[in-house]
Amino acid sequence: MSERNGLRYALVGLIVIALIAGLVLFVSRPAADTGVAKPAIEPSAPTGLQSLAEAAGKAPGHRKLNIQQWKTAEGARVLFVEAHELPMFDLRLTFAAGSSQDGDAYGLAMLTNAMLNEGVPGKDTSAIAAGFDDLGANFGNGSYRDMAVASLRSLSEPAKRDAALALFDQVIGQPTFPEDALVRIKNQVMAGFEYQKQNPGKLAGLELFKRLYGDHPYAHSSDGNEKSIPKITTAQLRAFHQKGYAAGNVVIALVGDLTREQAEGIANRVSQSLPKGPALPAPAEPQTPKAGLTHIEFPSKQTQLTLAQLGITRNDPDYAALYLGNQILGGGGFGTRLMDQVREKRGLTYGVYSGFTGMQSRGPFTIGLQTRAEMSEGTLKLVQDIVRDYLDKGPTQKELDDAKRELAGSFPLSTASNADIVGQLGAIGFYDLPLDYLETFLSQVQGLSAEQVKQAMRRHLDPDGFVIVTAGPTVPQKPLPPPTDKPAEQPAGVPEH
């Protein structure tokens, strides 16, 4: 669940489980921290348009990725895919330095990451940006609950490559954390907190994580809060950088127009530019929270409904079954059970989603939607009844077949570019997934039976175990309309912000 990316350019509001996005983060979303890794499309050089009839019934093509891995002398894990189709390369560093490592200084990881490119010896933020632009290179960064990332895209021509890497090495290894930039970014974050107060979805999401995780590091927002942000000092940023951005605490992912020798050279120089130090321990497993409902009074015509319970780690053996099962329940957009029953047949919402966010420790399973305030109680019960029925009976064979077919068609697209692949490599390394994960995930999904999906969902979800947070007005309630193919009242427009 991403909290802030490119902080100094925009103020971003939290959307609950935007990880799903899948999380998204993960392999996230990292979306989130993570999303689903999917194989790449086989490049081709067609001489003309292929007819739909010719393509019908054929399995989607993809190339097998030859993932090479090794460790640098400083302890960084490296994953590399050689791809010479374009004269460029993508580099992504994934550090175990997300907000779960904040300690009591909530927002420390986010501020450290946001300040990386604010200054290096001899260059301010404008000079850094101009340096990358002049080389045709692109720098990116972001901070989440599990991880912090820094990325570089550059031309592979030696002169451009070496110059871009030299600047990148300074940014990640020698940030100066200038005081004036810290003041400016803190002001942006504080303004964001004011925006949150007008956003019922954000308020519900913040409260949901507090209720779900209690004293666990995942409970607090990666952005920190109004009390914690003003207290953070440049000395704390430097100390966090020394341990969080250490060479032993990073996964280096490389994809592009490079030989193995060139990739080793890049990984070595990046690793050597970082502080020396070991990997940081993953957060402890959270305690199961007490189920129940919390209401936040908020003046609005709609009520935000959020439901959650502890889900899974990213490397859980049931991940494929749960991913497929959730696609049928509420993760696959139109055609899911939740969308069909709540929107299509009753017109109660603009959209409803559900999803697992696999993380280092047990991430959340969430359901979220907005509905008319006067029907919020009935809608909440309807959602709970849909989940209960699904866990009791499981998917139908048709639902299973349709979900598998949809996944087979969309699966290759998530690694269609080098940028997509480098993100997947980072997730494979960070969450210690098998190197052949990109090749085996789809076959795992296609081999699942309806009973296997049902049992996996039942192992990890309890229909009576939801922590629920609602945000909206207290108004007299109306009964829900009966299900019909043509609801008399259509869902409200885009959800209120």
Side-chain angles (χ1 to χ4, degrees):
M1 203 163 296
S2 165
E3 303 271 349
R4 185 170 299 275
N5 194 354
L7 173 64
R8 66 190 182 88
Y9 298 108
L11 300 174
V12 183
L14 172 68
I15 300 173
V16 180
I17 312 306
L19 29 213
I20 291 185
L23 227 194
V24 2
L25 269 192
F26 183 157
V27 102
S28 121
R29 220 193 262 248
D33 289 280
T34 175
V36 177
K38 305 174 183 180
I41 296 176
E42 177 69 41
S44 60
T47 56
L49 295 177
Q50 183 182 30
S51 72
L52 293 177
E54 184 181 349
K58 293 185 179 180
H62 66 272
R63 70 174 186 255
K64 291 185 177 180
L65 299 178
N66 178 24
I67 301 175
Q68 304 174 56
Q69 72 164 338
W70 63 91
K71 277 197 170 185
T72 68
E74 294 75 26
R77 185 180 180 187
V78 186
L79 290 90
F80 168 57
V81 169
E82 193 168 343
H84 298 286
E85 291 84 359
L86 297 172
M88 60 192 303
F89 71 94
D90 285 272
L91 168 65
R92 181 182 178 94
L93 308 187
T94 305
F95 300 90
S99 63
S100 59
Q101 304 290 344
D102 276 348
D104 295 331
Y106 300 158
L108 177 58
M110 177 273 297
L111 283 177
T112 302
N113 184 268
M115 288 284 290
L116 289 178
N117 58 335
E118 290 293 331
V120 299
K123 296 184 179 72
D124 62 10
T125 184
S126 297
I128 293 171
F132 284 123
D133 287 344
D134 290 345
L135 294 166
N138 181 53
F139 172 81
N141 58 325
S143 180
Y144 313 92
R145 279 186 165 87
D146 268 351
M147 65 182 67
V149 298
S151 64
L152 173 70
R153 172 175 287 180
S154 171
L155 297 171
S156 56
E157 188 271 319
K160 298 284 189 182
R161 180 183 71 215
D162 291 344
L165 284 167
L167 182 54
F168 182 76
D169 288 346
Q170 280 190 298
V171 168
I172 61 171
Q174 304 174 50
T176 55
F177 301 114
E179 191 68 43
D180 59 338
L182 179 59
V183 171
R184 170 170 48 81
I185 291 179
K186 281 184 177 181
N187 288 337
Q188 292 177 344
V189 177
M190 296 296 286
F193 294 147
E194 292 301 314
Y195 163 77
Q196 292 174 8
K197 295 175 183 178
Q198 307 304 316
N199 186 328
K202 177 69 173 180
L203 295 176
L206 293 171
E207 185 65 23
L208 186 74
F209 269 78
K210 291 178 184 178
R211 299 293 180 184
L212 186 63
Y213 284 104
D215 295 330
H216 191 270
Y218 287 168
H220 71 269
S221 167
S222 294
D223 288 345
N225 57 51
E226 290 175 306
K227 294 181 179 179
S228 66
I229 290 297
K231 298 177 183 178
I232 294 175
T233 66
T234 53
Q236 287 176 293
L237 300 183
R238 293 189 184 98
F240 188 86
H241 179 263
Q242 284 296 309
K243 69 172 185 177
Y245 288 75
N249 196 44
V250 67
V251 172
I252 301 174
L254 269 165
V255 177
D257 184 26
L258 303 166
T259 65
R260 168 64 181 259
E261 181 181 6
Q262 290 168 336
E264 287 183 356
I266 291 173
N268 287 339
R269 67 181 291 175
V270 167
S271 180
Q272 291 165 10
S273 72
L274 296 170
K276 305 299 183 287
L280 298 180
E285 285 301 316
Q287 299 296 313
T288 301
K290 182 179 179 181
L293 187 149
T294 300
H295 179 70
I296 300 171
E297 193 67 21
F298 190 91
S300 174
K301 293 182 179 180
Q302 298 189 68
T303 294
Q304 178 78 38
L305 306 178
T306 57
L307 303 84
Q309 55 186 275
L310 295 182
I312 56 172
T313 60
R314 182 58 185 82
N315 56 6
D316 191 287
D318 281 337
Y319 185 87
L322 295 173
Y323 180 85
L324 183 62
N326 179 67
Q327 287 295 99
I328 298 167
L329 174 62
F334 287 98
T336 66
R337 287 204 182 185
L338 287 171
M339 281 288 278
D340 179 64
Q341 293 296 319
V342 182
R343 173 179 166 138
E344 296 303 309
K345 292 187 176 179
R346 292 178 174 85
L348 296 172
T349 187
Y350 182 80
V352 54
Y353 67 86
S354 67
F356 290 91
T357 302
M359 299 170 70
Q360 281 186 305
S361 299
R362 294 177 66 189
F365 170 80
T366 60
I367 300 174
L369 70 154
Q370 281 189 349
T371 191
R372 292 188 288 277
E374 67 274 14
M375 294 185 177
S376 57
E377 292 180 10
T379 302
L380 176 60
K381 184 180 183 303
L382 174 63
V383 168
Q384 292 175 294
D385 288 344
I386 292 169
V387 173
R388 186 181 302 278
D389 180 73
Y390 185 61
L391 295 179
D392 180 51
K393 299 176 183 176
T396 65
Q397 189 61 48
K398 183 179 185 306
E399 287 176 323
L400 191 74
D401 293 341
D402 289 346
K404 287 181 179 181
R405 188 179 304 110
E406 189 280 332
L407 185 59
S410 63
F411 195 83
L413 301 179
S414 70
T415 50
S417 71
N418 287 354
D420 293 328
I421 296 171
V422 82
Q424 303 292 9
L425 295 187
I428 287 173
F430 187 82
Y431 290 112
D432 199 25
L433 302 175
L435 285 186
D436 64 353
Y437 177 76
L438 296 174
E439 296 299 320
T440 61
F441 178 81
L442 185 57
S443 61
Q444 290 175 9
V445 167
Q446 296 298 328
L448 290 166
S449 68
E451 182 63 22
Q452 287 173 317
V453 170
K454 181 180 80 169
Q455 292 304 323
M457 296 290 285
R458 293 183 64 165
R459 276 194 295 274
H460 294 276
L461 295 179
D462 176 2
D464 298 314
F466 281 105
V467 173
I468 303 168
V469 177
T470 62
T474 300
V475 296
Q477 294 294 294
K478 296 181 179 179
L480 297 187
T484 175
D485 290 335
K486 293 183 179 180
E489 192 167 358
Q490 293 300 309
V494 176
E496 296 177 0
H497 297 293

